[in-house]
Amino acid sequence: MIQLLRSMAFIVQMYVAMLVISLAYFPWAVISPAGAHAACHAYCRWVIWTLGWMTGLRCEVRGTPPTDDVMIAAKHQSFLDILMIYNAVPRGKFIMKRELLYAPLLGQYGLRIGCVPVNRGKRGAAISKMLSDVKTGRRQGGQLIIYPQGTRVAPGVPRPYKVGTGALYEQLGQPCVPVAANVGLFWPRHSLLRKPGLAVVEFLPRIEPGLARDEFMRKLENDVETTSNRLMAEAGFHADH
């Protein structure tokens, strides 16, 4: 019960901080994308810091986060892996649902950091425009963060990797950096409880461009799932499959 109360207090202040930080940085963010990135990094750092002393959940990033223009294909178990991965790279951006553009502040910040809004079924056209904008200087490069399974997946639950990730790998022509995680053990979806422990995201060796799509997908899934299972085993969890 005490841990639940600590978790709820953390969640309340987390959303208050989101409002305060986004408003404080908003003038800078309007002037420059650097201000938007600074705001998002400040928020991530705040959440990670308060998470540690308020709930006992510490965060650790392993491996070498990329600083060049790459695609990051990550295990997605909770909101926490979003924060940890974004905080570890200088110019992270996401493919986001177009509906989020209408969310106050969130939509504006998403656009300013270079997120790619897409309509359902039209991801290819959105990515083509993004690539064109980068080449012409209308959009900054950076680290495009995607989730190959398409949604949050609870620890130990199997879910296929979507072939769209392979298509994106071919279209971008950039290295892909896989990322494994165990964070869902401590920050579960559909729960207010934040469990004490060590949440880890691990940046794995990059997959260079040029692989056939099927070969890339097999390697990506094997690298991410094998390492995620190892990280979860370190925390005492063992998948059944």
Side-chain angles (χ1 to χ4, degrees), residues 13-14 19 42 64 68 133 135-136 156 170-172 190 197 228:
Q13 68 83 32
M14 181 183 77
L19 178 62
T64 304
D68 53 336
D133 288 350
K135 290 178 181 178
T136 58
E170 292 178 335
Q171 189 174 2
L172 288 171
H190 307 313
S228 294

Side-chain angles (χ1 to χ4, degrees), residues 32-34 36-37 69-70 91-96 98 101 107-119 122-145 168 172 174:
S32 169
H37 280 293
D69 292 355
V70 299
R91 300 186 311 279
K93 54 191 175 184
F94 301 85
I95 296 174
M96 69 179 189
R98 180 165 292 275
L101 291 177
Q108 288 77 15
Y109 271 97
L111 287 178
R112 295 302 285 163
I113 67 173
C115 290
V116 184
V118 297
N119 290 320
K122 296 184 178 180
R123 175 178 295 189
I127 295 299
S128 295
K129 185 177 187 306
M130 181 199 75
L131 293 173
S132 174
D133 288 350
V134 169
K135 290 178 181 178
T136 58
R138 291 194 296 269
R139 185 193 294 266
Q140 291 184 327
Q143 300 78 43
L144 180 64
I145 305 165
L168 190 56
L172 288 171
Q174 296 176 344

